[in-house]
Amino acid sequence: MTDNSSVILEKRGQAFWITINRPDKRNALNADVIAGLTKGYRDAHDDKDVRVIVLTGAGDKAFCAGADLQNSGAAFSMDYSRPNVDYADLLRLSQNATKPAIARVGGVCMAGGMGLLCMTDMAIAADHVIFGLPEVKVGVFPMQVMSLLQSIAPPRLVNEWALTGEPFDANTAQAAGLLNYVVPTSELDAKVEWLISRIVDKSPTAIRRGKYAMRAIASMSFDESIAYTESQIALLAMTEDAKEGLKAFGEKRKPSWPGR
């Protein structure tokens, strides 16, 4: 286990847990947190035994409440000599990831925390959790969050959330497509483990190449997408995992994935 105080990185079996560890600050984002999250994603991808990433926040009060406004000058300061900012680079990293990620949302999820939620592939939240994009209340706007949110939730809801800054509950978030499951707090960890178990017994090669392909076709027309995916399935069929999967199916046994 690695602990840089702001973010805890911990391998639990085939899952790599990334935990924002600032519960006294509602797990707010600062430079150390963003650096820790980035390191976590990279470490998870460098470890061939890791099959899934779990992103969460310490304690039961907050998943992530967004930027740390205790020092608002630092939160919104920019180095204008750099074309990229670290938070945006983290979102870029997440979208190019080839290992699936689950958000475990045990507390409030606001502003930049919504971006963290959207950068994962699946999400489970406790039923008491409140979500929101309150940036307009402090004179800014969820600019970078929009890059991911607009492809997940219905436009009319995104407009309402971003333009009013008003919060909404977990059931609304699930209905909008932000969450896969909403459960009582007492069942949150069990549900996360259940979802992990449904990923780690599947082909890592199929998941890796599948995530890559889904990312590639997201902005393609149908004709471009179908041409791309027909070539991808041909390539996938030549992998060791595909050969093992078909062999195991024929022999009526569980596959033993080589991961190649």
Side-chain angles (χ1 to χ4, degrees), residues 6 11-12 20 35 49 65 71 81 88 96 107 112 118 132-133 144 151 153 162 192 198 204 209 259:
S6 292
K11 187 175 174 183
R12 303 183 193 177
I20 304 173
D49 295 325
N71 186 350
S81 68
N96 289 318
C118 292
L133 296 170
Q144 296 159 105
S151 66
V192 171
R198 291 172 68 87
R209 291 198 64 93

Short mmCIF file of all heavy atoms in Angstrom, two decimals, residues 6 11-12 20 35 49 65 71 81 88 96 107 112 118 132-133 144 151 153 162 192 198 204 209 259:
data_model
loop_
_atom_site.label_atom_id
_atom_site.label_comp_id
_atom_site.label_asym_id
_atom_site.label_seq_id
_atom_site.Cartn_x
_atom_site.Cartn_y
_atom_site.Cartn_z
N SER A 6 -2.45 12.50 0.72
CA SER A 6 -3.62 13.03 0.02
C SER A 6 -4.38 11.97 -0.75
O SER A 6 -5.59 12.08 -0.93
CB SER A 6 -3.19 14.14 -0.94
OG SER A 6 -2.72 15.26 -0.23
N LYS A 11 -3.49 -2.02 -3.66
CA LYS A 11 -3.86 -3.16 -4.48
C LYS A 11 -4.58 -4.19 -3.61
O LYS A 11 -4.04 -4.63 -2.60
CB LYS A 11 -2.62 -3.78 -5.12
CG LYS A 11 -2.90 -4.87 -6.14
CD LYS A 11 -1.60 -5.31 -6.79
CE LYS A 11 -1.82 -6.49 -7.71
NZ LYS A 11 -0.54 -6.96 -8.30
N ARG A 12 -5.81 -4.50 -3.98
CA ARG A 12 -6.60 -5.50 -3.26
C ARG A 12 -6.96 -6.60 -4.24
O ARG A 12 -7.91 -6.47 -5.02
CB ARG A 12 -7.87 -4.88 -2.68
CG ARG A 12 -7.66 -3.70 -1.75
CD ARG A 12 -8.98 -3.22 -1.18
NE ARG A 12 -8.86 -1.92 -0.53
CZ ARG A 12 -9.89 -1.25 -0.01
NH1 ARG A 12 -11.11 -1.77 -0.07
NH2 ARG A 12 -9.70 -0.06 0.56
N ILE A 20 -9.11 9.13 -2.40
CA ILE A 20 -8.78 10.50 -2.01
C ILE A 20 -8.88 10.58 -0.49
O ILE A 20 -9.92 10.24 0.09
CB ILE A 20 -9.74 11.51 -2.65
CG1 ILE A 20 -9.74 11.36 -4.18
CG2 ILE A 20 -9.35 12.94 -2.27
CD1 ILE A 20 -10.79 12.20 -4.88
N ALA A 35 -2.22 14.90 -8.55
CA ALA A 35 -0.99 14.14 -8.81
C ALA A 35 -1.13 12.70 -8.34
O ALA A 35 -0.68 11.76 -9.02
CB ALA A 35 0.20 14.81 -8.11
N ASP A 49 -1.16 -7.50 -13.31
CA ASP A 49 -2.11 -8.29 -12.52
C ASP A 49 -3.37 -7.51 -12.15
O ASP A 49 -4.36 -8.09 -11.70
CB ASP A 49 -1.44 -8.80 -11.23
CG ASP A 49 -0.32 -9.78 -11.52
OD1 ASP A 49 -0.45 -10.55 -12.49
OD2 ASP A 49 0.68 -9.76 -10.78
N ALA A 65 -15.72 16.85 -3.24
CA ALA A 65 -16.54 18.06 -3.28
C ALA A 65 -16.04 19.08 -4.29
O ALA A 65 -16.50 20.22 -4.30
CB ALA A 65 -16.61 18.68 -1.90
N ASN A 71 -8.36 27.88 -0.45
CA ASN A 71 -7.34 28.76 -1.03
C ASN A 71 -7.75 28.98 -2.48
O ASN A 71 -7.20 28.37 -3.39
CB ASN A 71 -5.95 28.14 -0.94
CG ASN A 71 -4.86 29.09 -1.42
OD1 ASN A 71 -5.14 30.14 -1.99
ND2 ASN A 71 -3.61 28.70 -1.18
N SER A 81 1.70 29.78 -19.49
CA SER A 81 2.72 29.29 -20.43
C SER A 81 2.48 27.83 -20.80
O SER A 81 3.07 27.34 -21.77
CB SER A 81 4.12 29.45 -19.82
OG SER A 81 4.29 28.56 -18.71
N ALA A 88 -7.28 18.62 -16.34
CA ALA A 88 -7.66 18.22 -17.69
C ALA A 88 -6.82 17.04 -18.17
O ALA A 88 -7.33 16.12 -18.82
CB ALA A 88 -7.52 19.40 -18.66
N ASN A 96 -8.11 7.57 -22.08
CA ASN A 96 -7.22 6.71 -22.86
C ASN A 96 -6.87 5.42 -22.12
O ASN A 96 -6.12 4.59 -22.64
CB ASN A 96 -5.94 7.47 -23.21
CG ASN A 96 -6.19 8.55 -24.25
OD1 ASN A 96 -6.92 8.33 -25.21
ND2 ASN A 96 -5.61 9.72 -24.06
N GLY A 107 -20.29 9.53 -0.61
CA GLY A 107 -20.67 10.82 -0.06
C GLY A 107 -20.79 11.85 -1.16
O GLY A 107 -20.70 11.53 -2.35
N GLY A 112 -15.76 19.49 -9.54
CA GLY A 112 -14.71 18.65 -10.10
C GLY A 112 -14.86 17.19 -9.73
O GLY A 112 -14.37 16.31 -10.45
N CYS A 118 -17.45 11.02 -13.83
CA CYS A 118 -17.66 10.80 -15.26
C CYS A 118 -16.47 10.14 -15.94
O CYS A 118 -16.63 9.54 -17.01
CB CYS A 118 -17.98 12.12 -15.96
SG CYS A 118 -19.57 12.83 -15.52
N GLY A 132 -23.94 17.57 -7.75
CA GLY A 132 -24.21 18.91 -8.24
C GLY A 132 -23.04 19.55 -8.96
O GLY A 132 -21.89 19.11 -8.85
N LEU A 133 -23.38 20.60 -9.70
CA LEU A 133 -22.40 21.44 -10.39
C LEU A 133 -22.61 22.88 -9.91
O LEU A 133 -23.22 23.69 -10.60
CB LEU A 133 -22.61 21.35 -11.91
CG LEU A 133 -22.39 19.98 -12.55
CD1 LEU A 133 -22.86 19.99 -14.00
CD2 LEU A 133 -20.92 19.56 -12.47
N GLN A 144 -14.38 21.91 -17.72
CA GLN A 144 -13.74 20.64 -18.07
C GLN A 144 -14.65 19.45 -17.82
O GLN A 144 -14.63 18.47 -18.57
CB GLN A 144 -12.42 20.51 -17.30
CG GLN A 144 -11.42 21.59 -17.70
CD GLN A 144 -10.36 21.80 -16.63
OE1 GLN A 144 -9.23 21.36 -16.78
NE2 GLN A 144 -10.73 22.47 -15.55
N SER A 151 -21.58 13.68 -22.79
CA SER A 151 -21.74 12.43 -23.52
C SER A 151 -22.42 11.35 -22.68
O SER A 151 -22.66 10.24 -23.16
CB SER A 151 -20.38 11.92 -24.01
OG SER A 151 -19.55 11.56 -22.90
N ALA A 153 -25.04 12.27 -19.79
CA ALA A 153 -26.37 12.67 -19.32
C ALA A 153 -27.14 13.43 -20.40
O ALA A 153 -26.54 14.03 -21.30
CB ALA A 153 -26.24 13.54 -18.07
N ALA A 162 -25.89 22.70 -14.75
CA ALA A 162 -24.78 23.64 -14.90
C ALA A 162 -25.22 25.10 -14.77
O ALA A 162 -24.49 25.93 -14.23
CB ALA A 162 -24.10 23.44 -16.25
N VAL A 192 -19.88 -3.00 -4.70
CA VAL A 192 -18.64 -2.74 -5.43
C VAL A 192 -17.88 -4.04 -5.66
O VAL A 192 -17.41 -4.33 -6.77
CB VAL A 192 -17.76 -1.72 -4.69
CG1 VAL A 192 -16.38 -1.62 -5.33
CG2 VAL A 192 -18.43 -0.35 -4.69
N ARG A 198 -17.49 -9.44 -11.33
CA ARG A 198 -18.07 -9.67 -12.66
C ARG A 198 -17.15 -9.18 -13.78
O ARG A 198 -17.44 -9.40 -14.96
CB ARG A 198 -19.43 -8.98 -12.74
CG ARG A 198 -20.48 -9.65 -11.85
CD ARG A 198 -21.75 -8.84 -11.79
NE ARG A 198 -22.48 -8.81 -13.06
CZ ARG A 198 -23.36 -9.72 -13.47
NH1 ARG A 198 -23.63 -10.76 -12.69
NH2 ARG A 198 -23.97 -9.60 -14.62
N PRO A 204 -9.11 -10.26 -20.09
CA PRO A 204 -8.46 -8.94 -20.01
C PRO A 204 -8.13 -8.38 -21.38
O PRO A 204 -8.16 -7.16 -21.59
CB PRO A 204 -7.20 -9.21 -19.18
CG PRO A 204 -6.96 -10.66 -19.29
CD PRO A 204 -8.30 -11.31 -19.45
N ARG A 209 -8.90 -4.30 -25.47
CA ARG A 209 -9.13 -3.90 -26.86
C ARG A 209 -10.52 -3.31 -27.05
O ARG A 209 -10.73 -2.43 -27.89
CB ARG A 209 -8.91 -5.09 -27.80
CG ARG A 209 -7.44 -5.54 -27.89
CD ARG A 209 -7.21 -6.41 -29.12
NE ARG A 209 -7.44 -5.64 -30.34
CZ ARG A 209 -6.49 -5.00 -31.01
NH1 ARG A 209 -5.23 -5.02 -30.59
NH2 ARG A 209 -6.77 -4.33 -32.11
N GLY A 259 -4.27 -13.49 -21.11
CA GLY A 259 -4.15 -12.04 -21.11
C GLY A 259 -3.35 -11.51 -22.29
O GLY A 259 -2.84 -10.39 -22.26
#
